């Protein structure tokens, strides 16, 4: 059984890229058909605004091949699933974009970093796909870490899932900044030199960007 939710996790489709790849609009969705197993079967992929689905049809009988959507583990089904997964990987690479961070503040921050320092986020950990680092090009040191966390990791008062930015600072300044409302002791990093910022709209952009500039300079 193909798990599209897992394959397309943290990704969003780009409509222009879907069209360029060969998808056609069917109502509110986009569809594409791909011949598999020596043209004996047809894989139909459906991409909607908030969902994705698929079907496989036997081209000789025109009937849907339902075993591909079960836990059946026969060699034939395995071969079929492998071909479908290869096609899905191609679609993912050519038609989707990363969509991990949801907060407007986070998206604005990523755009600002890219414009100011010509640095894009890296996602180095397969087991933590919603952790992104920003590095200096010359020395490869981090100057910022973005994470999606359970709010309780910083405070029981925070929402169930939050977006957090870790920055480096001078130890004496860090102690002054921590208010346990917007700025907290660092999660998962050295608390003497790093601190965590809860990325919501309460913290003004100007302050956030100044703190980021400081972290950038301290890690050069």
């Amino acid at each position: 059984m193909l798990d599209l939710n897992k394959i397309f996790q943290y990704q969003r489709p780009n409509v222009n890229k879907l069209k360029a790849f060969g998808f056609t609009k069917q109502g509110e969705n986009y569809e594409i058909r791909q011949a598999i197993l020596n043209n004996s079967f047809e894989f139909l992929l459906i991409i909607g605004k908030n969902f994705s689905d698929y079907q496989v049809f036997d081209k000789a009988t025109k009937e849907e091949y339902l075993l591909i959507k079960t836990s059946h583990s026969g060699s034939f089904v395995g071969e079929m699933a492998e071909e479908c997964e290869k096609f899905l990987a191609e679609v993912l690479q050519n038609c989707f974009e990363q969509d991990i961070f949801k907060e407007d503040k986070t998206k604005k921050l990523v755009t600002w970093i890219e414009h100011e320092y010509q640095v894009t986020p890296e996602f180095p950990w397969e087991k933590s796909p919603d952790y992104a680092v920003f590095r200096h090009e010359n020395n490869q040191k981090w100057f910022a870490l973005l994470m999606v966390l359970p709010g309780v990791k910083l405070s029981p008062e925070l929402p169930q899932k939050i977006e957090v930015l870790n920055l480096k600072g001078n130890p004496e300044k860090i102690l002054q900044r921590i208010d346990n409302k917007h700025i907290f002791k660092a999660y998962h990093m050295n608390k003497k030199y790093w601190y965590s910022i809860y990325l919501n709209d309460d913290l003004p952009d100007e302050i956030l960007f100044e703190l980021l500039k400081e972290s950038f300079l301290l890690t050069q």
Side-chain angles (χ1 to χ4, degrees):
M1 181 175 181
L2 303 173
D3 188 348
L4 297 191
N5 288 330
K6 184 176 181 180
I7 293 172
F8 294 136
Q9 186 179 29
Y10 302 124
Q11 306 287 332
R12 70 171 181 270
N14 181 307
V15 169
N16 292 329
K17 291 182 178 181
L18 289 174
K19 292 177 180 177
F21 191 80
F23 280 82
T24 58
K25 191 170 184 181
Q26 303 294 330
E28 296 298 316
N29 305 322
Y30 287 86
E31 298 182 0
I32 193 169
R33 296 174 182 270
Q34 172 74 6
I36 58 175
L37 294 179
N38 297 317
N39 207 29
S40 298
F41 290 81
E42 185 176 64
F43 178 60
L44 169 64
L45 178 60
I46 306 164
I47 302 295
K49 185 176 181 179
N50 297 307
F51 83 103
S52 55
D53 197 7
Y54 70 94
Q55 293 174 284
V56 174
F57 296 93
D58 186 321
K59 297 185 75 171
T61 65
K62 308 298 182 184
E63 294 180 351
E64 184 177 0
Y65 188 79
L66 297 174
L67 284 180
I68 191 67
K69 286 194 169 184
T70 70
S71 57
H72 186 82
S73 58
S75 59
F76 181 75
V77 176
E79 183 181 355
M80 178 181 288
E82 186 176 349
E83 285 207 24
C84 293
E85 287 172 349
K86 287 181 180 177
F87 181 66
L88 288 169
E90 190 177 352
V91 170
L92 180 63
Q93 180 178 357
N94 288 280
C95 305
F96 281 72
E97 299 170 345
Q98 286 178 325
D99 187 32
I100 294 175
F101 304 109
K102 309 297 184 183
E103 294 287 346
D104 289 340
K105 179 73 72 177
T106 309
K107 293 178 180 179
K108 189 183 297 185
L109 175 71
V110 171
T111 300
W112 186 87
I113 293 174
E114 291 176 352
H115 179 267
E116 187 76 10
Y117 300 123
Q118 292 75 56
V119 173
T120 56
E122 300 175 27
F123 298 86
W125 299 291
E126 185 177 346
K127 292 184 178 180
S128 299
D130 47 5
Y131 281 31
V133 299
F134 294 87
R135 303 176 190 266
H136 289 277
E137 186 176 352
N138 57 347
N139 61 20
Q140 292 298 295
K141 290 183 179 180
W142 302 358
F143 62 88
L145 170 65
L146 272 176
M147 302 170 285
V148 179
L149 299 176
V152 71
K153 295 289 186 180
L154 295 183
S155 168
E157 307 295 324
L158 295 179
Q160 184 176 4
K161 183 175 285 189
I162 61 173
E163 294 172 16
V164 173
L165 176 69
N166 276 13
L167 295 177
K168 191 169 187 177
N170 290 312
E172 63 276 9
K173 289 184 179 180
I174 290 175
L175 291 175
Q176 296 171 5
R177 288 172 181 158
I178 291 173
D179 59 9
N180 293 316
K181 183 178 179 182
H182 307 107
I183 300 178
F184 301 81
K185 292 182 179 179
Y187 172 74
H188 210 57
M189 295 181 75
N190 189 318
K191 292 175 173 53
K192 181 176 180 180
Y193 297 103
W194 293 81
Y195 57 98
S196 294
I197 300 174
Y198 170 33
L199 291 171
N200 66 358
D201 287 333
D202 290 346
L203 190 67
D205 292 345
E206 312 82 65
I207 294 177
L208 179 62
F209 296 157
E210 282 301 314
L211 294 176
L212 203 143
K213 286 179 182 178
E214 179 187 68
S215 184
F216 186 88
L217 292 173
L218 287 172
T219 50
Q220 282 184 322

